[in-house]
Amino acid sequence: MSESIGEQASKNIVCLSKNLELEEYRTLIGFIAAACRYEVKHHVKQVLKRTSCFKLIAALFVTGDSERNTVILDTFMPILVRELKTSSKFSQSVHLINFLFSGDEELSKLTHEVCSLIKKKIGDDEYMNRVAMCQKNASEKITDRKRKIRELAVTAPEDAAELKRKKNKKKTEVRKRKLDEIKPYRAMKRRAAEQRKAQENEED
């Protein structure tokens, strides 16, 4: 999906959403949120879906009544708070230069703009309360996940070991990808080595 197609689709959705019943509207917002979560989980380095969805949500929030805006807040504040936290980590990291020249810059800026719009409309107190609640819920999920992992280590040590292995492998891949972004020649050298090895295997 290109950016222009995404923008046109967003305009159509804003127009059509005015005729939806509240439950239908809730379902619509749920689908939009699901698109964001899918991108975070499967294509975290891509930002087109989240960028398009955040713009759409901002447009819906501006034109929506209190009931519909509550639906948006309940569904999207956790996603927005996550992005705020992510962009904050980027800005404090040694990878800031890479971040500033990536699509993450646009997403970070857009996230702050959407949050500012929300804060202006609902007021500082409610906004801060919602942010605090999102942070609390996220922290509780992390704690619960860690507890389940500890329990798994007791009840099913082999499964726990496999889970840990996958987690460490993912961390290694993420670390390698970040280093490749900072030092592109690393990736070039590795690909060249892989090609040489593949050629040697073919010759054998």
Side-chain angles (χ1 to χ4, degrees), residues 40-197:
V40 169
K41 184 175 182 180
H42 298 284
H43 306 288
V44 69
K45 289 182 68 64
Q46 299 177 15
V47 299
L48 179 58
K49 282 188 176 66
R50 278 170 288 171
T51 300
S52 298
C53 289
F54 286 4
K55 289 178 180 178
L56 172 57
I57 286 301
L60 290 170
F61 195 79
V62 168
T63 58
D65 56 26
S66 60
E67 280 189 323
R68 295 182 178 226
N69 284 349
T70 297
V71 172
I72 291 175
L73 291 171
D74 290 344
T75 307
F76 260 87
M77 279 304 294
I79 298 173
L80 292 168
V81 170
R82 178 200 174 277
E83 291 299 336
L84 287 175
K85 182 178 179 181
T86 301
S87 64
S88 176
K89 285 182 178 179
F90 266 113
S91 65
Q92 295 171 9
S93 73
V94 295
H95 309 308
L96 177 59
I97 294 177
N98 296 73
F99 166 65
L100 290 175
F101 289 96
S102 70
D104 292 325
E105 180 190 11
E106 180 186 358
L107 180 61
S108 175
K109 182 180 178 182
L110 178 60
T111 302
H112 282 84
E113 289 176 351
V114 174
C115 287
S116 295
L117 183 152
I118 290 173
K119 184 193 295 187
K120 185 176 181 180
K121 190 157 186 177
I122 67 176
D124 290 351
D125 289 343
E126 184 178 351
Y127 175 80
M128 293 308 299
N129 286 337
R130 283 186 173 274
V131 170
M133 183 58 68
C134 290
Q135 292 172 335
K136 180 183 177 182
N137 290 341
S139 178
E140 288 176 350
K141 285 182 180 179
I142 292 173
T143 301
D144 187 56
R145 188 159 57 242
K146 289 181 178 179
R147 178 184 58 77
K148 289 180 179 178
I149 291 174
R150 288 195 298 269
E151 291 176 353
L152 189 65
V154 176
T155 59
E158 292 183 359
D159 292 343
E162 177 64 15
L163 185 64
K164 186 175 182 180
R165 185 190 66 79
K166 289 181 178 179
K167 184 177 180 180
N168 289 337
K169 182 180 179 181
K170 187 175 181 180
K171 283 184 177 179
T172 300
E173 291 173 350
V174 170
R175 192 179 302 115
K176 184 187 296 184
R177 186 168 64 245
K178 287 182 177 180
L179 287 173
D180 287 346
E181 291 173 357
I182 298 172
K183 302 176 181 179
Y185 65 85
R186 280 173 47 92
M188 294 173 62
K189 287 176 64 176
R190 186 170 62 255
R191 283 194 292 268
E194 290 172 353
Q195 289 176 355
R196 285 197 301 271
K197 187 174 181 180

Side-chain angles (χ1 to χ4, degrees), residues 1-35:
M1 181 181 70
S2 67
E3 185 174 355
S4 59
I5 293 176
E7 290 181 355
Q8 184 58 51
S10 296
K11 292 178 182 178
N12 293 341
I13 291 172
V14 171
C15 183
L16 293 172
S17 68
K18 296 176 182 178
N19 299 318
L20 296 178
E21 298 293 335
L22 185 60
E23 285 306 311
E24 294 174 328
Y25 189 81
R26 195 185 306 278
T27 300
L28 169 65
I29 299 302
F31 279 129
I32 299 171

